Amino acid sequence: MPIDYKKTQKEFYQPKTTPSVIDVPQMVFIMVDGAGNPNTSEEYKSALEILYGLSYTIKMNSKTVMEYVVPPLEGLWCLNDGSEDWYKDKSKYCWTSIIRQPDFVTLDIFEAAKAKLDKKKPQLDTSKARLEKFTEGLCVQAMHIGSYDNEPRTNADIMQFISDNEYVSDIGDKRRHHEIYLNDPRKTAPEKLKTIIRVPVKN
């Protein structure tokens, strides 16, 4: 059976709806940076095409190494004015869209996938993508069920948990608000969407 991280590493992909603490180790990701409202931005749409294109190219070329399920889309978010006034003006969003890769994916494998995708879809600018090892560290996370627009209620629960348990939010230039999208919004009713929300913290 193909390896599915959502099932083999449930602590990272199947949290409860109540907040909990998690220490996230180093993982390998393809990353694309951008800015603007993800609902309307062509840059965001292009970033997802690049991420999925590279991820599936690597998967198809690596069958002899490992059979696996491509992990879900994730996003690291901040606001271009440096504030934490989330969800009010999406045009201010700065984002890094990411998809996890198996640990065997090296820079050589990544560059080979870029070259192959460039030939298949020359309209995509794969130079925007990078392969990076990312250690997220100590976070508080919870599963949000429902529309993305209703995420403030889950985020508020997380922030209350952080305060009640004597942690401090560590959102800044190096650590950001993190979301993991477990459903395709084009195929899932808004009230059934599952999104993991993570906030980096320190003691």
Side-chain angles (χ1 to χ4, degrees):
M1 293 291 291
I3 293 173
D4 186 345
Y5 292 128
K6 298 190 302 298
K7 296 178 180 178
T8 61
Q9 298 183 344
K10 293 182 179 180
E11 65 273 28
F12 304 126
Y13 298 101
Q14 296 187 36
K16 296 181 179 179
T17 55
T18 52
S20 61
V21 179
I22 186 78
D23 194 353
V24 187
Q26 178 178 281
M27 299 178 185
V28 179
F29 291 90
I30 298 175
M31 301 185 169
V32 178
D33 298 320
N37 186 335
N39 296 324
T40 58
S41 169
E42 286 299 318
E43 186 177 21
Y44 186 77
K45 179 181 176 182
S46 175
L48 300 197
E49 288 187 71
I50 293 168
L51 285 171
Y52 281 112
L54 290 172
S55 295
Y56 278 98
T57 298
I58 291 171
K59 170 184 164 66
M60 296 306 294
N61 289 346
S62 303
K63 285 187 174 182
T64 58
V65 179
M66 174 181 170
E67 286 273 10
Y68 63 94
V69 176
V70 171
L73 176 69
E74 308 183 30
L76 305 173
W77 300 87
C78 63
L79 295 173
N80 61 17
D81 60 4
S83 72
E84 293 187 23
D85 193 14
W86 289 100
Y87 312 110
K88 290 187 176 181
D89 187 353
K90 295 180 181 180
S91 68
K92 293 182 178 181
Y93 283 0
C94 295
W95 41 263
T96 300
S97 290
I98 64 179
I99 293 181
R100 184 181 176 184
Q101 305 298 305
D103 290 341
F104 72 79
V105 177
T106 62
L107 185 59
D108 286 344
I109 291 172
F110 174 65
E111 292 296 338
K114 285 173 66 175
K116 191 165 186 176
L117 187 61
D118 285 340
K119 292 181 180 179
K120 184 178 180 180
K121 294 189 175 182
Q123 74 276 15
L124 296 179
D125 183 2
T126 62
S127 68
K128 293 182 178 180
R130 67 184 185 277
L131 188 71
E132 186 171 311
K133 293 179 179 179
F134 174 48
T135 304
E136 191 166 18
L138 193 65
C139 299
V140 172
Q141 68 177 8
M143 180 74 78
H144 171 76
I145 299 178
S147 166
Y148 300 139
D149 289 335
N150 290 332
E151 285 183 8
R153 69 181 186 220
T154 301
N155 199 66
D157 290 343
I158 290 173
M159 299 309 292
Q160 187 63 53
F161 178 92
I162 290 171
S163 176
D164 291 345
N165 290 273
E166 299 184 349
Y167 290 99
V168 178
S169 170
D170 197 27
I171 288 178
D173 292 339
K174 294 183 179 180
R175 307 184 74 198
R176 289 183 278 167
H177 176 94
H178 186 175
E179 298 182 359
I180 303 174
Y181 310 104
L182 300 180
N183 309 103
D184 184 340
R186 300 169 299 177
K187 302 176 181 178
T188 308
E191 66 273 14
K192 295 183 179 180
L193 289 170
K194 291 184 177 181
T195 308
I196 300 166
I197 299 177
R198 280 191 196 145
V199 174
V201 297
K202 57 186 177 181
N203 296 105

